[in-house]
């Protein structure tokens, strides 16, 4: 598909992004053919209106698409339409927004959409793989950003668990989901530097240790594009990890150990979340479900 070739050659997107964007283009094309009742070609894409896009997103929402995922979908659609007819004026349509309010965990779909948006917007494929791996460590293993960025090459090769050094030099062992292990392995395979056992695992663009400021900036830009609230931070992914596990029925003491909390009172804050609702969401969408 020419769209995929453009993404790879001209935009230097990763294979993961190309697959996601190609799937979006295919879904849009199939929807428009059914919506308009006729086969379409590239030229027909110039007549897509905001009304058509609203109908498309409404259809996607019926299939369970959340606000952040809808915003990502709309961003991919706009890119596809701009490429299909670069001279045509694109339909104007505001992306969905998430209501702000009391602090709450990010839904599994929004957490993955956020991580994907950060990875997709990276300047280089290896940087996208790096950011994806970092954010999955926060959401899939409950690490603090500082804990993730102080990991060294001696954790390789990865096993089913990871020993983490947290606050006050306290160590704990956390399980690694297959998706998290795969993300780290993919980053290591693409990194332009060999990673020695005594050197930082995650590197900045010039080869030095990756600063948490870079991850926070990337998340801030991504949450703006996705319409997520200001409280959607890297630490919110750890918060979501905890609330989703608790909603699934995790023991509070076990959760305390996973998070590395010195006091159980620090862990009990997560009991304020609606466990029944989180359990349903978690079963349907979380990679550990």
């Amino acid at each position: 598909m020419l769209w995929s070739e453009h993404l790879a050659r001209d935009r230097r997107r990763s294979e993961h992004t190309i697959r996601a964007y190609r799937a979006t283009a295919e879904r849009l094309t199939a929807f428009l053919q059914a919506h308009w009742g006729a086969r379409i070609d590239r030229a027909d894409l110039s007549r897509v209106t905001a009304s058509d896009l609203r109908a498309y997103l409404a259809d996607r929402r019926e299939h369970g698409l959340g606000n952040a995922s809808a915003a990502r979908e709309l961003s991919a659609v706009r890119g596809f339409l701009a490429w299909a007819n670069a001279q045509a004026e694109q339909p104007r349509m505001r992306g969905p927004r998430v209501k702000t309010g009391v602090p709450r965990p990010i839904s599994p779909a929004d957490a993955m959409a956020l991580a994907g948006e950060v990875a997709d917007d990276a300047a280089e494929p290896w940087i996208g793989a790096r950011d994806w791996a970092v954010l999955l460590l926060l959401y899939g293993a409950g690490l603090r950003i500082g804990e993730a960025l102080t990991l060294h090459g001696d954790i390789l090769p990865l096993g089913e668990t990871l020993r983490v050094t947290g606050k006050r030099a306290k160590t704990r062992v956390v399980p690694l989901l297959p998706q998290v292990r795969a993300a780290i392995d993919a980053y290591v395979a693409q990194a332009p530097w060999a990673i020695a056992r005594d050197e930082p695992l995650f590197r900045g663009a010039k080869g030095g240790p990756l600063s948490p400021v870079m991850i926070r900036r990337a998340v801030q830009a991504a949450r703006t594009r996705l319409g997520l609230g200001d409280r959607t931070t890297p630490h919110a992914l750890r918060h979501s990890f905890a609330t989703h596990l608790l909603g699934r029925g995790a023991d509070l003491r076990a959760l305390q150990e996973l998070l590395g909390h010195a006091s159980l009172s620090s862990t009990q804050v997560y009991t304020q979340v609606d466990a029944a609702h989180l359990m349903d969401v978690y079963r349907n969408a979380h990679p550990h479900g």
Side-chain angles (χ1 to χ4, degrees):
M1 186 178 183
L2 295 177
W3 170 232
S4 299
E5 294 176 5
H6 164 72
L7 290 172
R9 182 186 63 249
D10 302 328
R11 301 297 301 279
R12 302 178 68 183
R13 295 301 194 184
S14 68
E15 292 183 8
H16 167 78
T17 300
I18 292 170
R19 286 195 300 270
Y21 278 37
R22 181 175 61 235
T24 296
E26 290 171 350
R27 282 193 296 267
L28 176 67
T29 302
F31 171 81
L32 291 175
Q33 289 184 164
H35 188 57
W36 290 344
R39 291 185 61 84
I40 64 174
D41 56 24
R42 179 171 172 175
D44 293 321
L45 295 174
S46 64
R47 61 188 179 93
V48 174
T49 65
S51 177
D52 293 325
L53 294 186
R54 282 192 291 270
Y56 171 70
L57 288 182
D59 179 74
R60 295 286 290 130
R61 285 183 180 281
E62 290 182 0
H63 290 83
L65 199 70
N67 273 4
S69 296
R72 285 198 78 215
E73 188 97 348
L74 182 58
S75 176
V77 164
R78 283 171 170 160
F80 174 59
L81 293 178
W83 166 82
N85 195 331
Q87 303 305 315
E89 182 178 355
Q90 296 303 308
R92 295 182 178 273
M93 181 177 173
R94 296 184 64 181
R97 293 187 175 275
V98 177
K99 293 182 180 179
T100 58
V102 297
R104 62 176 180 173
I106 307 171
S107 73
D110 285 354
M112 299 306 289
L114 179 71
E117 181 70 16
V118 169
D120 290 348
D121 195 52
E124 298 284 347
W126 77 267
I127 294 178
R130 178 201 69 191
D131 293 351
W132 173 261
V134 170
L135 294 178
L136 284 200
L137 274 171
L138 274 53
Y139 179 58
L143 270 62
R144 301 177 178 92
I145 182 67
E147 294 170 344
L149 298 190
T150 53
L151 293 173
H152 281 67
D154 58 3
I155 71 168
L156 304 174
L158 296 169
E160 294 186 352
T161 60
L162 178 66
R163 184 173 294 277
V164 179
T165 301
K167 292 183 177 180
R168 294 175 291 278
K170 181 180 179 181
T171 62
R172 67 185 189 277
V173 176
V174 298
L176 282 182
L177 300 175
Q179 293 90 336
V180 179
R181 295 200 302 270
I184 296 174
D185 287 339
Y187 155 67
V188 171
Q190 296 180 56
W193 300 280
I195 300 174
R197 291 179 59 82
D198 60 346
E199 293 180 342
L201 175 65
F202 295 110
R203 307 289 190 82
K206 296 182 179 180
L210 177 60
S211 168
V213 172
M214 302 307 296
I215 297 296
R216 292 189 181 103
R217 285 176 179 172
V219 167
Q220 182 178 8
R223 79 187 181 207
T224 299
R225 292 192 296 272
L226 296 179
L228 295 170
D230 292 345
R231 294 185 180 274
T232 304
T233 63
H235 195 70
L237 295 176
R238 170 176 155 92
H239 178 73
S240 300
F241 163 85
T243 50
H244 296 161
L245 284 183
L246 191 62
R248 181 74 183 272
D251 176 76
L252 201 60
R253 287 287 184 185
L255 185 58
Q256 179 188 1
E257 290 296 320
L258 285 176
L259 294 173
H261 284 162
S263 170
L264 185 63
S265 61
S266 299
T267 313
Q268 287 174 329
V269 66
Y270 298 113
T271 61
Q272 299 174 17
V273 180
D274 183 348
H277 171 69
L278 285 174
M279 189 180 297
D280 291 337
V281 174
Y282 191 99
R283 286 194 185 118
N284 290 331
H286 195 285
H288 195 200

